[in-house]
Amino acid sequence: MKKLIIRGVITAAVSLAIWIIISLVVGGTGFNSTYHLESVEIEHRIMDDGTMEVHEKINYLLVKPYRGIYREIPTGRTKYSDIKVWTEGMNYTKIQNFSTANSLKLKVWLVPFNGSPREPSEGGDRVTLHITYKVQEAVEEGYDVAQLFWKYWGEDWEQPVKNLKASFSFPDYVNPIKIYTHPPADIKRESNTYWLQWKKFPAKTFGEVRMVLPKGVFTVSDSGRYTLEDIEKIENDYSRKVMLWKVNLPLILLGSSILILFLLFYFMGREPRIDYNALYERELPTNDGPEFINAVVKNLCTGVDNDGLGACILNLYRKGYLDFNVDSKKGRIEGIILKKLSGGDLSSAELQLLQFFSRYAIDFGDRKIFDFSELKSRFRKNQKEARRFTQELRTWKSFIKAMIKERKYLLSTGAGLSKLYALFLMAFSLFALFNVANSYEINFLFPVARYVYGLFWGVGAVVLTLPVDVFGRWTKKGREYYLKWKNFENYLKDYSLLSEYPPSSVVLWEEYLVYATALGVADEVRKHMNKIVPQELWEKEGGHMYMYYPYGLHVSRDFGSVVSTASAASSSSSSGSGAGGVGGGSGGGGGGAF
């Protein structure tokens, strides 16, 4: 259980780190931006003739070398006039106005024109940009109502705003019929002025209002082809979309995850009851080979790993079929010496592995040596041979897996279904993140989506890496088999028990070390053994010396370097105007610093 918890925590941490990287890439970081936006206040005053006077007050904090600041509103249906610009807190040197009748484009130099960037002081330089302008045809009349459909903030700002405040003031005789905001926001009213305020308004997100007004109250207005019913349909669709991605989908995912995972565990993951209650096994529970035990017990019937391969090699060494070419100074095995290739005490798996070594061994006099360095050099030069080596080793592992399948120890259907659902959960989380980030209407939800769907991503990652027996189930025979070998492993790891009831001979110690290697606890058991069995006694009883020292038990690591080289070589490439949809309001744009 402790290992399972640690494994879950590590998986969650790694998946969280991956998700953070993905979300930063998808949503943009803005870490290298020249400026921050401390606060923004925008006042809109709607006049009797339907024009609108705007005053923008944008407070910049310049944190990297800068030359000036700018503000842009893209071309739209409205017209701009009477543009005035000034700064507060820092004098400007030049204002460049590239605006047209239907767009706003201003560049404010804070250093001499075309001069070198200025280094900000510690903590940044503050400057407030003031812009005032008039908007003609701000109010548009439809068939039965009029509307002020306006973006008070645009999606082209790369930095969030710590405090954003927008106000809309109407003549006393004008009362909006309905007010819609994108993103949804609370509106406060003071006399005939309506306020919206945001804390930490997201970057790359627009702020927009649609104020539905009585028709005919303004003397001059633009005309559009829409009705109140058209507006309500658009706004209802928008509200449903926001609710879907912000509330409904997360709740559906949460409920389905709890239900599906519970049902999978309840019907396919609960272990059967068996009549076995021992705490330890002091003798080998079965006569199966160490590679088989590794595949069943350590890897839960999923296959042989390097420990299982190393244990099989150690067993052949113990039986006298091979020896090791050891570099004692470096503390590692550099090759396998083949002494004989057949014998009556060999299992099918051991015989196949010996024959596999023989096919890649080279002759040194009357001996055949499976030399690690020579093989790695060959594989780097000969991709075809590397692929054949990898395929033959895979065939040997498949042979072990087929033996496991015949025993029918573990029913893995539930595990397979849980992993499929985990993949779906992770894929959908990615889809949701990309969809929200790239959706013009709901990208303001990105900060929320990053956390909400990140949670489901993490759940999927943890479920995907859970051991197969969490949602899979042992058969009664398999459960007893597994528990007996786990209890044997507990015996090997328990120094007090091992010292009180040690193996009766060096021969048994060697056999236990082979299986300790298969179970992944060889280093721990060897340390216990070195305390219990002196080297002199080991030598006196004719023990294999390379099993007494750590590098003999690390044969799986040293042989694994050959496998890694072959895998890398074999896989390397050999060649080289209706009512207006949400976000369609006039205004908006962006700005920044340069």
Side-chain angles (χ1 to χ4, degrees):
M1 179 59 72
K2 184 179 178 181
K3 286 184 177 180
L4 188 62
I5 294 173
I6 294 173
R7 182 176 181 174
V9 170
I10 293 173
T11 300
V14 172
S15 65
L16 176 62
I18 294 172
W19 180 261
I20 290 173
I21 293 171
I22 292 172
S23 63
L24 288 175
V25 172
V26 173
T29 61
F31 291 149
N32 290 322
S33 181
T34 305
Y35 69 98
H36 296 157
L37 293 172
E38 298 293 284
S39 65
V40 174
E41 187 172 337
I42 309 172
E43 298 175 357
H44 306 79
R45 183 177 296 276
I46 295 83
M47 313 306 291
D48 293 337
D49 60 358
T51 62
M52 181 168 65
E53 294 180 352
V54 182
H55 179 189
E56 296 186 359
K57 182 179 178 182
I58 305 171
N59 292 303
Y60 288 85
L61 177 64
L62 301 167
V63 294
K64 291 196 173 182
Y66 62 88
R67 294 193 292 178
I69 51 183
Y70 65 92
R71 173 76 170 104
E72 298 176 354
I73 298 178
T75 301
R77 67 170 186 83
T78 53
K79 297 177 181 179
Y80 302 92
S81 61
D82 296 343
I83 301 170
K84 296 178 183 178
V85 183
W86 70 96
T87 58
E88 183 182 342
M90 188 185 304
N91 293 328
Y92 64 85
T93 60
K94 184 180 178 65
I95 295 175
Q96 291 179 289
N97 187 350
F98 304 104
S99 305
T100 66
N102 300 98
S103 69
L104 190 74
K105 188 172 183 180
L106 302 166
K107 200 170 185 179
V108 181
W109 289 82
L110 301 174
V111 301
F113 181 60
N114 285 336
S116 300
R118 178 184 296 162
E119 193 73 32
S121 59
E122 186 176 353
D125 293 347
R126 298 179 185 275
V127 61
T128 301
L129 176 64
H130 290 265
I131 306 173
T132 62
Y133 51 90
K134 285 185 179 180
V135 183
Q136 272 87 39
E137 302 176 354
V139 177
E140 179 186 49
E141 283 199 344
Y143 293 125
D144 55 355
V145 291
Q147 67 172 355
L148 172 66
F149 191 29
W150 180 255
K151 281 185 184 176
Y152 55 87
W153 194 246
E155 63 275 12
D156 295 331
W157 292 90
E158 66 176 15
Q159 287 291 303
V161 185
K162 290 183 180 178
N163 191 350
L164 174 60
K165 191 174 183 180
S167 66
F168 295 83
S169 300
F170 291 90
D172 292 339
Y173 59 85
V174 177
N175 290 305
I177 300 170
K178 291 185 178 181
I179 300 177
Y180 301 99
T181 62
H182 318 130
D186 292 330
I187 299 177
K188 295 180 180 180
R189 180 175 180 177
E190 296 177 9
S191 185
N192 220 27
T193 298
Y194 299 84
W195 291 90
L196 299 88
Q197 188 164 1
W198 291 89
K199 299 290 186 182
K200 296 182 179 178
F201 194 84
K204 300 180 180 179
T205 301
F206 65 83
E208 183 179 66
V209 295
R210 188 197 300 271
M211 296 188 167
V212 183
L213 308 166
K215 184 177 179 180
V217 296
F218 296 101
T219 56
V220 178
S221 60
D222 193 16
S223 60
R225 294 174 293 177
Y226 61 86
T227 64
L228 177 59
E229 185 180 351
D230 295 331
I231 292 174
E232 289 175 341
K233 183 180 184 306
I234 291 170
E235 294 299 336
N236 288 337
D237 289 345
Y238 173 73
S239 297
R240 283 193 291 269
K241 189 172 185 178
V242 171
M243 284 296 294
L244 176 68
W245 290 96
K246 184 179 181 180
V247 178
N248 296 346
L249 277 178
L251 288 178
I252 290 170
L253 281 179
L254 178 63
S256 64
S257 297
I258 293 173
L259 180 63
I260 289 172
L261 295 177
F262 171 76
L263 291 176
L264 285 175
F265 177 78
Y266 187 83
F267 290 106
M268 298 181 178
R270 289 186 304 163
E271 299 297 348
R273 294 183 179 180
I274 59 172
D275 188 21
Y276 175 74
N277 299 304
L279 297 176
Y280 293 101
E281 293 282 344
R282 294 200 296 269
E283 296 179 357
L284 297 179
T286 69
N287 294 323
D288 293 310
E291 67 286 341
F292 187 86
I293 301 305
N294 169 263
V296 173
V297 181
K298 185 188 175 201
N299 296 312
L300 305 176
C301 297
T302 58
V304 185
D305 62 14
N306 281 345
D307 283 337
L309 184 57
C312 190
I313 294 172
L314 275 179
N315 210 31
L316 290 169
Y317 168 64
R318 184 181 70 85
K319 292 179 177 182
Y321 287 90
L322 53 82
D323 203 348
F324 297 130
N325 181 23
V326 175
D327 186 332
S328 55
K329 291 183 179 179
K330 295 181 179 179
R332 69 185 185 194
I333 294 173
E334 296 194 331
I336 296 172
I337 302 169
L338 305 180
K339 298 171 71 174
K340 52 183 180 176
L341 299 177
S342 61
D345 59 344
L346 289 175
S347 67
S348 298
E350 290 170 337
L351 181 60
Q352 287 186 28
L353 190 61
L354 273 176
Q355 292 171 349
F356 169 70
F357 288 150
S358 177
R359 286 193 291 274
Y360 291 92
I362 54 177
D363 293 325
F364 274 93
D366 58 346
R367 299 189 304 174
K368 292 176 74 71
I369 298 182
F370 186 89
D371 187 86
F372 295 169
S373 297
E374 188 271 341
L375 279 169
K376 286 189 280 189
S377 178
R378 276 163 55 187
F379 294 153
R380 292 188 187 104
K381 297 175 182 177
N382 191 333
Q383 187 183 60
K384 185 176 180 180
E385 186 176 24
R387 285 177 176 170
R388 187 173 68 249
F389 177 91
T390 303
Q391 181 57 48
E392 289 182 7
L393 185 59
R394 193 179 293 122
T395 300
W396 180 79
K397 291 182 177 181
S398 296
F399 173 75
I400 308 298
K401 205 166 183 178
M403 292 171 57
I404 297 170
K405 194 173 181 180
E406 289 178 1
R407 301 274 187 102
K408 297 180 179 179
Y409 282 157
L410 187 66
L411 305 176
S412 59
T413 304
L417 291 174
S418 71
K419 293 184 188 306
L420 280 176
Y421 182 73
L423 288 172
F424 160 77
L425 208 55
M426 295 178 73
F428 187 85
S429 298
L430 276 179
F431 166 74
L433 187 73
F434 276 90
N435 187 73
V436 170
N438 295 294
S439 174
Y440 192 62
E441 297 178 340
I442 60 171
N443 60 0
F444 72 92
L445 290 175
F446 185 78
V448 176
R450 177 182 289 173
Y451 295 107
V452 172
Y453 293 105
L455 173 64
F456 293 114
W457 164 276
V459 170
V462 171
V463 172
L464 191 63
T465 56
L466 284 175
V468 69
D469 63 343
V470 174
F471 289 100
R473 180 174 61 200
W474 294 96
T475 61
K476 286 188 175 183
K477 182 170 65 173
R479 180 69 175 164
E480 184 174 346
Y481 186 96
Y482 173 78
L483 290 178
K484 284 183 176 180
W485 275 102
K486 289 301 288 184
N487 285 339
F488 178 70
E489 177 186 330
N490 293 336
Y491 161 68
L492 293 178
K493 293 192 298 182
D494 190 326
Y495 175 73
S496 60
L497 192 65
L498 198 60
S499 59
E500 186 177 355
Y501 303 101
S504 58
S505 67
V506 167
V507 173
L508 275 180
W509 269 114
E510 289 186 344
E511 189 174 28
Y512 285 11
L513 281 171
V514 166
Y515 284 92
T517 302
L519 294 167
V521 294
D523 280 335
E524 190 174 353
V525 175
R526 182 195 59 79
K527 290 176 183 177
H528 294 338
M529 181 195 70
N530 289 163
K531 295 177 183 177
I532 297 171
V533 182
Q535 183 176 342
E536 296 78 13
L537 177 61
W538 188 274
E539 294 174 351
K540 181 180 179 181
E541 294 194 13
H544 293 80
M545 288 312 300
Y546 294 141
M547 297 189 74
Y548 194 83
Y549 297 106
Y551 44 76
L553 303 181
H554 292 165
V555 63
S556 55
R557 178 199 63 192
D558 299 327
F559 181 77
S561 67
V562 180
V563 177
S564 298
T565 302
S567 297
S570 63
S571 61
S572 63
S573 175
S574 57
S575 64
S577 175
V582 173
S586 300
F594 63 94

